[in-house]
């Protein structure tokens, strides 16, 4: 356990360091790269000073109302995308809200869920069901993204390596979590660990009865329980379950995605348990999350940060009144906020040149 905690902490710290370095590099780009004649003689300190001055001016003015309005309408509910394409909006809502809710409820479990809910356990309802539901939302969004990118053949929409990476890393994080949950459901080793830590049963008969009850109703695959289970054993197992387990374990069928994964793995449950699939998936899931976090500033996933900033800055800045240095910074942030969604390319008059020459660089989204 301590080795695992040391490993997890090392990977987590490394990912945070890479994330911090990447974000600092991006901020340096936003405030140092020059666009237009207004920024030719500007310095990094001047750009930073202008930006901070503008931020404080917004916070302590009526413009803060515009910021809140844009954040709710265009960031949280993404109404602009809804007006452009309903299917794309559904895709974004599924991935955005599913991932955000999973992040706060599951990834930040000790800070958020356990603090807000005094009776919180990840293995009881409604929390167990909600975790799977949020993950399922993300899977629906991923499925729509794959269909739009690879099957619908939307006119002038291009797919590059960053598009594939974005879909891939999100899918890996969600699917590894689902199969980890499924592996825990069927794992006899995991059941033994829980029984030893939390039930403290002294008699082998009681343990076998509890095993039988979990095989019948909780999806456990035990090498000790085969064939039909008598009603007497189930009754004894139920009694032990009520005494030792019921307060922190809802039947896993509520975790519908994890339970489906468990059913897929059931025929080879013994083999998977022997090779330690729960431990493997645990490491794999954590690694995929940390890799996604570490690479966020260097990939298309950066738009999680830059798109809200770009939407808000576009709403409050005015070309004839705002500081030219801040306008240049906003334009650079907007470049990182662009996700090549093809919205501008669909209606651009230059698109006819692309139709004739098939040169993607003609399109404004590229």
């Amino acid at each position: 356990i301590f080795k695992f905690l040391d490993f997890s902490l090392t990977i987590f710290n490394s990912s945070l360091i890479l994330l911090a370095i990447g974000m600092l590099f991006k901020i340096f780009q936003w405030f140092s790269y020059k666009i237009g004649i207004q920024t030719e003689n500007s310095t990094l300190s001047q750009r930073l000073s202008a930006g901070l001055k503008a931020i404080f001016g917004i916070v302590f003015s009526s413009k803060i109302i515009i910021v809140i309005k844009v954040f709710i309408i265009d960031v949280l509910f993404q109404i602009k995308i809804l007006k452009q394409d309903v299917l794309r909006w559904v895709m974004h809502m599924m991935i955005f809200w599913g991932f955000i809710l999973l992040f706060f409820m599951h990834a930040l479990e000790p800070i958020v869920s356990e603090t807000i809910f005094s009776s919180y356990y990840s293995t009881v309802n409604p929390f167990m069901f909600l975790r799977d539901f949020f993950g399922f939302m993300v899977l629906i969004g991923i499925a729509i993204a794959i269909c739009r990118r690879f099957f619908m053949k939307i006119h002038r929409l291009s797919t590059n390596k960053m598009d594939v990476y974005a879909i891939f890393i999100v899918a890996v994080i969600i699917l590894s979590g689902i199969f980890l949950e499924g592996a825990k459901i069927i794992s006899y080793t995991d059941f033994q660990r829980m029984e030893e830590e939390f039930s403290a049963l002294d008699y082998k008969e009681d343990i076998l009865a509890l095993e039988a009850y979990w095989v019948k109703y909780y999806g456990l695959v035990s090498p000790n329980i085969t064939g039909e289970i008598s009603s007497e054993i189930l009754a004894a197992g139920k009694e032990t379950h009520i005494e030792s387990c019921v307060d922190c374990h809802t039947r896993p069928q509520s975790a519908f995605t994890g339970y489906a994964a468990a059913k897929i793995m059931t025929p080879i449950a013994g083999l998977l348990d022997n090779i330690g699939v729960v431990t493997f998936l645990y490491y794999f899931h954590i690694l995929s999350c940390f890799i996604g976090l570490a690479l966020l500033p260097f990939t298309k996933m950066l738009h999680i940060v830059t798109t809200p900033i770009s939407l808000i800055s576009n709403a409050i800045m005015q070309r004839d009144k705002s500081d030219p240095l801040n306008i240049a910074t906003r334009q650079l942030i907007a470049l990182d906020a662009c996700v090549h969604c093809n919205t501008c390319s669909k209606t651009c008059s230059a698109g006819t040149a692309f139709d004739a020459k098939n040169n993607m660089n003609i399109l404004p989204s590229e």
Side-chain angles (χ1 to χ4, degrees):
I1 291 173
F2 285 116
K3 285 181 179 179
F4 172 73
L5 289 175
D6 287 342
F7 171 80
S8 300
L9 189 60
T10 301
I11 296 298
F12 180 63
N13 288 337
S14 300
S15 64
L16 285 182
I17 290 169
L18 282 172
L19 175 64
I21 291 172
M23 289 308 301
L24 286 172
F25 177 70
K26 279 296 176 184
I27 292 170
F28 173 78
Q29 286 183 321
W30 298 338
F31 287 94
S32 63
Y33 283 20
K34 295 173 173 54
I35 295 181
I37 59 173
Q38 295 92 341
T39 60
E40 280 184 357
N41 298 316
S42 65
T43 63
L44 175 64
S45 59
Q46 289 174 330
R47 296 273 291 277
L48 283 170
S49 177
L52 289 172
K53 182 180 177 181
I55 290 171
F56 281 110
I58 291 163
V59 171
F60 298 104
S61 72
S62 59
K63 286 186 176 181
I64 192 66
I65 298 173
I66 300 174
V67 172
I68 295 171
K69 178 183 175 182
V70 172
F71 181 77
I72 294 172
I73 294 175
D74 292 330
V75 177
L76 295 184
F77 295 101
Q78 303 182 23
I79 299 302
K80 284 188 176 181
I81 297 178
L82 175 61
K83 293 176 180 178
Q84 296 162 1
D85 187 330
V86 174
L87 183 62
R88 183 167 159 251
W89 178 79
V90 172
M91 176 191 74
H92 275 85
M93 285 289 96
M94 292 293 104
I95 295 176
F96 174 77
W97 278 109
F99 219 97
I100 289 294
L101 292 169
L102 269 180
F103 177 74
F104 284 103
M105 177 187 170
H106 182 52
L108 299 182
E109 180 180 278
I111 301 172
V112 179
S113 298
E114 292 179 4
T115 302
I116 296 175
F117 306 102
S118 58
S119 59
Y120 176 83
Y121 285 101
S122 62
T123 49
V124 299
N125 280 334
F127 311 110
M128 184 167 68
F129 166 77
L130 287 174
R131 184 180 63 244
D132 275 50
F133 180 72
F134 298 151
F136 187 64
M137 286 173 61
V138 179
L139 287 181
I140 292 174
I142 292 170
I144 296 174
I146 291 172
C147 287
R148 290 184 77 252
R149 287 281 172 182
F150 303 107
F151 298 105
M152 293 179 66
K153 303 297 182 183
I154 297 173
H155 186 51
R156 298 177 186 170
L157 177 63
S158 65
T159 299
N160 55 39
K161 292 179 180 179
M162 283 296 102
D163 298 317
V164 175
Y165 167 80
I167 295 172
F168 177 77
I169 193 64
V170 174
V172 166
I173 290 171
I174 298 300
L175 289 174
S176 61
I178 289 172
F179 276 90
L180 171 60
E181 185 177 47
K184 286 183 174 181
I185 290 171
I186 63 175
S187 172
Y188 177 66
T189 301
D190 215 49
F191 171 81
Q192 284 182 306
R193 178 189 59 77
M194 289 189 294
E195 184 274 318
E196 291 171 1
E197 288 183 15
F198 303 112
S199 68
L201 297 174
D202 296 323
Y203 299 102
K204 187 177 180 180
E205 293 78 8
D206 292 336
I207 297 173
L208 285 173
L210 182 61
E211 273 184 43
Y213 187 81
W214 274 56
V215 168
K216 179 72 174 178
Y217 296 111
Y218 279 74
L220 172 66
V221 178
S222 168
N224 303 318
I225 309 296
T226 57
E228 288 294 322
I229 305 172
S230 68
S231 57
E232 292 82 5
I233 292 176
L234 287 175
K238 181 178 181 181
E239 184 178 344
T240 305
H241 172 78
I242 291 172
E243 292 174 356
S244 306
C245 310
V246 72
D247 291 336
C248 52
H249 284 282
T250 302
R251 288 179 65 176
Q253 286 83 345
S254 299
F256 57 97
T257 59
Y259 192 72
K263 285 299 180 183
I264 292 171
M265 295 185 286
T266 292
I268 55 171
L271 173 63
L272 294 175
D273 202 36
N274 288 335
I275 64 175
V277 71
V278 171
T279 303
F280 169 77
L281 287 173
Y282 205 100
Y283 279 97
F284 185 77
H285 182 60
I286 287 178
L287 276 171
S288 60
C289 291
F290 290 166
I291 288 170
L293 181 66
L295 295 181
L296 186 146
F298 310 102
T299 66
K300 182 180 178 178
M301 302 303 290
L302 183 63
H303 81 277
I304 296 170
V305 177
T306 52
T307 297
I309 296 174
S310 183
L311 288 168
I312 291 169
S313 61
N314 282 334
I316 60 177
M317 293 180 69
Q318 297 172 291
R319 182 172 292 277
D320 57 338
K321 295 181 180 180
S322 297
D323 191 322
L325 298 182
N326 289 333
I327 291 175
T329 303
R330 181 196 69 183
Q331 289 175 314
L332 285 159
I333 294 173
L335 288 175
D336 279 322
C338 177
V339 293
H340 304 265
C341 67
N342 191 50
T343 301
C344 56
S345 292
K346 282 195 295 186
T347 55
C348 180
S349 58
T352 53
F354 162 73
D355 294 335
K357 297 294 185 180
N358 199 31
N359 179 356
M360 295 303 300
N361 294 319
I362 292 173
L363 298 177
S365 62
E366 303 306 313

